[in-house]
mmCIF file of all heavy atoms in Angstrom:
data_model
loop_
_atom_site.group_PDB
_atom_site.id
_atom_site.type_symbol
_atom_site.label_atom_id
_atom_site.label_comp_id
_atom_site.label_asym_id
_atom_site.label_seq_id
_atom_site.Cartn_x
_atom_site.Cartn_y
_atom_site.Cartn_z
ATOM 1 N N ARG G 418 13.918 75.441 1.404
ATOM 2 C CA ARG G 418 13.346 74.115 1.661
ATOM 3 C C ARG G 418 14.073 73.056 0.831
ATOM 4 O O ARG G 418 14.769 73.382 -0.145
ATOM 5 C CB ARG G 418 11.837 74.091 1.357
ATOM 6 C CG ARG G 418 11.036 75.078 2.217
ATOM 7 C CD ARG G 418 9.555 74.883 2.029
ATOM 8 N NE ARG G 418 9.089 73.584 2.544
ATOM 9 C CZ ARG G 418 8.775 73.388 3.828
ATOM 10 N NH1 ARG G 418 8.921 74.369 4.723
ATOM 11 N NH2 ARG G 418 8.329 72.224 4.237
ATOM 12 N N VAL G 419 13.855 71.790 1.209
ATOM 13 C CA VAL G 419 14.521 70.663 0.534
ATOM 14 C C VAL G 419 13.444 69.715 0.016
ATOM 15 O O VAL G 419 12.571 69.269 0.785
ATOM 16 C CB VAL G 419 15.470 69.912 1.493
ATOM 17 C CG1 VAL G 419 16.130 68.749 0.749
ATOM 18 C CG2 VAL G 419 16.525 70.865 2.043
ATOM 19 N N ASP G 420 13.485 69.410 -1.294
ATOM 20 C CA ASP G 420 12.545 68.468 -1.913
ATOM 21 C C ASP G 420 13.295 67.163 -2.193
ATOM 22 O O ASP G 420 14.332 67.174 -2.863
ATOM 23 C CB ASP G 420 11.986 69.047 -3.217
ATOM 24 C CG ASP G 420 10.968 68.105 -3.826
ATOM 25 O OD1 ASP G 420 9.886 67.916 -3.227
ATOM 26 O OD2 ASP G 420 11.272 67.535 -4.899
ATOM 27 N N VAL G 421 12.763 66.012 -1.675
ATOM 28 C CA VAL G 421 13.422 64.703 -1.824
ATOM 29 C C VAL G 421 12.466 63.777 -2.565
ATOM 30 O O VAL G 421 11.289 63.641 -2.198
ATOM 31 C CB VAL G 421 13.782 64.089 -0.443
ATOM 32 C CG1 VAL G 421 14.495 62.754 -0.645
ATOM 33 C CG2 VAL G 421 14.665 65.057 0.346
ATOM 34 N N ARG G 422 12.976 63.111 -3.629
ATOM 35 C CA ARG G 422 12.186 62.151 -4.410
ATOM 36 C C ARG G 422 12.928 60.807 -4.450
ATOM 37 O O ARG G 422 14.149 60.778 -4.591
ATOM 38 C CB ARG G 422 11.955 62.654 -5.848
ATOM 39 C CG ARG G 422 11.182 63.962 -5.909
ATOM 40 C CD ARG G 422 11.146 64.480 -7.337
ATOM 41 N NE ARG G 422 10.489 65.767 -7.416
ATOM 42 C CZ ARG G 422 9.187 65.926 -7.620
ATOM 43 N NH1 ARG G 422 8.415 64.860 -7.791
ATOM 44 N NH2 ARG G 422 8.654 67.137 -7.658
ATOM 45 N N GLN G 423 12.174 59.730 -4.364
ATOM 46 C CA GLN G 423 12.761 58.359 -4.415
ATOM 47 C C GLN G 423 11.944 57.505 -5.373
ATOM 48 O O GLN G 423 10.714 57.608 -5.423
ATOM 49 C CB GLN G 423 12.752 57.727 -3.011
ATOM 50 C CG GLN G 423 13.356 56.342 -2.966
ATOM 51 C CD GLN G 423 12.310 55.224 -3.130
ATOM 52 O OE1 GLN G 423 11.172 55.505 -3.476
ATOM 53 N NE2 GLN G 423 12.712 54.015 -2.926
ATOM 54 N N GLN G 424 12.646 56.668 -6.156
ATOM 55 C CA GLN G 424 11.978 55.733 -7.064
ATOM 56 C C GLN G 424 12.776 54.430 -7.116
ATOM 57 O O GLN G 424 13.996 54.453 -7.275
ATOM 58 C CB GLN G 424 11.842 56.335 -8.464
ATOM 59 C CG GLN G 424 11.153 55.381 -9.462
ATOM 60 C CD GLN G 424 10.918 56.054 -10.800
ATOM 61 O OE1 GLN G 424 10.324 57.120 -10.872
ATOM 62 N NE2 GLN G 424 11.411 55.425 -11.842
ATOM 63 N N TYR G 425 12.043 53.272 -6.983
ATOM 64 C CA TYR G 425 12.694 51.947 -7.067
ATOM 65 C C TYR G 425 11.914 51.087 -8.055
ATOM 66 O O TYR G 425 10.677 51.016 -8.009
ATOM 67 C CB TYR G 425 12.708 51.247 -5.705
ATOM 68 C CG TYR G 425 13.136 49.790 -5.782
ATOM 69 C CD1 TYR G 425 14.480 49.447 -5.866
ATOM 70 C CD2 TYR G 425 12.180 48.771 -5.787
ATOM 71 C CE1 TYR G 425 14.850 48.114 -5.941
ATOM 72 C CE2 TYR G 425 12.552 47.448 -5.865
ATOM 73 C CZ TYR G 425 13.890 47.116 -5.943
ATOM 74 O OH TYR G 425 14.281 45.809 -6.019
ATOM 75 N N THR G 426 12.628 50.418 -8.987
ATOM 76 C CA THR G 426 12.033 49.493 -9.950
ATOM 77 C C THR G 426 12.800 48.181 -9.879
ATOM 78 O O THR G 426 14.035 48.175 -9.997
ATOM 79 C CB THR G 426 12.097 50.043 -11.379
ATOM 80 O OG1 THR G 426 11.446 51.318 -11.405
ATOM 81 C CG2 THR G 426 11.413 49.089 -12.356
ATOM 82 N N GLY G 427 12.095 47.060 -9.666
ATOM 83 C CA GLY G 427 12.775 45.769 -9.552
ATOM 84 C C GLY G 427 11.836 44.613 -9.873
ATOM 85 O O GLY G 427 10.647 44.787 -10.135
ATOM 86 N N SER G 428 12.398 43.368 -9.827
ATOM 87 C CA SER G 428 11.617 42.165 -10.111
ATOM 88 C C SER G 428 12.247 40.992 -9.375
ATOM 89 O O SER G 428 13.424 41.014 -9.018
ATOM 90 C CB SER G 428 11.575 41.879 -11.624
ATOM 91 O OG SER G 428 12.888 41.646 -12.113
ATOM 92 N N GLY G 429 11.438 39.944 -9.196
ATOM 93 C CA GLY G 429 11.926 38.736 -8.558
ATOM 94 C C GLY G 429 10.778 37.799 -8.208
ATOM 95 O O GLY G 429 9.676 38.246 -7.873
ATOM 96 N N GLU G 430 11.023 36.455 -8.329
ATOM 97 C CA GLU G 430 10.043 35.422 -7.986
ATOM 98 C C GLU G 430 8.730 35.632 -8.740
ATOM 99 O O GLU G 430 7.640 35.417 -8.215
ATOM 100 C CB GLU G 430 9.787 35.383 -6.472
ATOM 101 C CG GLU G 430 11.037 35.119 -5.659
ATOM 102 C CD GLU G 430 10.738 34.978 -4.175
ATOM 103 O OE1 GLU G 430 9.588 34.638 -3.844
ATOM 104 O OE2 GLU G 430 11.643 35.197 -3.373
#
Side-chain angles (χ1 to χ4, degrees):
R418 299 188 66 84
V419 180
D420 183 67
V421 181
R422 299 173 184 270
Q423 181 267 11
Q424 180 175 306
Y425 170 80
T426 303
S428 62
E430 301 184 24

